[in-house]
Amino acid sequence: MSTTLNATWTDASDPQGYKTLEFRVHREGDRLVTGSLWTPNESIRPNTLMTFGHGASGTRYQLPIPYLARKLAKEGIVSLSMDGPVHGLRQKGEGGRPALSQEMRRSNMIEDMIVDWSVAVEVTESRMGFNADKFGYFGLSMGSIFGIPYLAQRMEDNQHVTVATLGLLGTTGAVSVLAERLSQDASTITAPVLFLMQLEDELFPRDGYLELFDALGSEDKRLHANPGLHPSVPAEEINFCLSFVLDHLRGDN
């Protein structure tokens, strides 16, 4: 990735009032990449970065991202959340799932988002003055659609991935057209993974969930299944996700 990227930074706040830094950067082809950083108020854990991808109906501030990012900030960890391809500061049309449905017709959608993530991480590392030797990712649903290919690319480029929380996604249902790509990329991911599943998910059938989980290349992968529809992940599961990523980013595991 180029080191000549120029990001515009702006002071902002998340919906709960915690201070953030928002960035906008134009990469090649004048494609806009946008997102937000949560930074610790005191000492920063060196060379450690947590990244977040949101769902199709949200933005970089979609819950539980701000909650997790603020908790991580108390541990000295910088968090980065990037807007989806037609969401947030780069919303198209009405945004959300309808805009994503249109976006998914583009053959280069995933490749563009891989580059977007690389750009977002690069400008964050430049801003913070470190290279992320410890790197975490949290992304459910659409956050996994784009997160799995990005993590696979990091692995192929010998860029470290420390831990990931993925899920609310399978190879059947709403993204069956991407099944082969997602399974292939998942097989490249060897970092510890927590994979979340909703047992009554109206978007992704159980068999596809299990197929994608089985495809993951990690020796340490855990499947947590909870009752309820697609968006009904219980609060205690989110807190477990926090403990899971923290243990690895702090080196406790």
Side-chain angles (χ1 to χ4, degrees):
M1 186 57 57
S2 169
T3 58
T4 60
L5 295 167
N6 293 315
T8 300
W9 295 91
T10 306
D11 291 331
S13 299
D14 69 21
Q16 286 70 47
Y18 193 96
K19 291 182 179 179
T20 62
L21 279 171
E22 294 184 343
F23 66 86
R24 297 171 182 249
V25 58
H26 290 271
R27 66 174 182 87
E28 67 275 9
D30 203 35
R31 181 176 169 94
L32 182 65
V33 182
T34 63
S36 296
L37 297 186
W38 289 258
T39 59
N41 291 326
E42 299 179 1
S43 60
I44 293 176
R45 187 174 290 271
N47 305 325
T48 304
L49 179 64
M50 185 67 194
T51 56
F52 291 93
H54 64 81
S57 60
T59 73
R60 66 201 177 284
Y61 290 132
Q62 184 179 40
L63 293 174
I65 294 172
Y67 168 78
L68 293 171
R70 293 195 304 272
K71 292 287 188 180
L72 290 164
K74 292 180 179 179
E75 299 290 332
I77 296 172
V78 175
S79 291
L80 156 66
S81 181
M82 187 180 76
D83 281 321
V86 289
H87 304 76
L89 294 173
R90 51 180 178 170
Q91 178 174 322
K92 291 185 180 179
E94 60 185 292
R97 291 181 183 175
L100 179 63
S101 295
Q102 288 288 112
E103 176 71 2
M104 287 182 67
R105 298 176 185 177
R106 290 198 315 110
S107 60
N108 292 332
M109 176 190 68
I110 287 180
E111 282 68 27
D112 279 337
M113 280 295 287
I114 290 173
V115 177
D116 289 351
W117 264 117
S118 298
V119 166
V121 170
E122 180 183 339
V123 298
T124 296
E125 290 176 327
S126 177
R127 175 80 183 196
M128 302 309 304
F130 63 57
N131 292 319
D133 296 327
K134 288 196 171 183
F135 183 92
Y137 183 84
F138 175 101
L140 306 177
S141 194
M142 188 184 76
S144 280
I145 292 174
F146 299 125
I148 288 172
Y150 173 61
L151 295 177
Q153 188 63 56
R154 281 189 68 91
M155 291 282 187
E156 292 177 5
D157 292 342
N158 294 316
Q159 295 177 300
H160 194 56
V161 176
T162 307
V163 62
T165 294
L166 303 167
L168 300 193
L169 183 67
T171 56
T172 56
V175 294
S176 57
V177 67
L178 301 175
E180 183 176 351
R181 173 66 187 268
L182 290 170
S183 294
Q184 180 178 347
D185 286 341
S187 70
T188 306
I189 299 172
T190 58
V193 174
L194 174 63
F195 195 87
L196 302 189
M197 174 179 180
Q198 287 298 106
L199 292 171
E200 286 78 45
D201 196 317
E202 71 277 19
L203 299 179
F204 303 108
R206 295 185 187 186
D207 59 341
Y209 262 111
L210 297 176
E211 183 176 349
L212 186 56
F213 174 75
D214 288 342
L216 288 164
S218 174
E219 293 183 1
D220 180 1
K221 57 182 181 180
R222 307 159 190 216
L223 177 66
H224 283 200
N226 294 284
L229 298 174
H230 184 74
S232 302
V233 179
E236 58 265 33
E237 192 69 83
I238 298 302
N239 286 323
F240 185 87
C241 294
L242 176 64
S243 297
F244 182 75
V245 298
L246 260 179
D247 285 348
H248 289 86
L249 292 176
R250 291 186 304 202
D252 295 350
N253 279 338

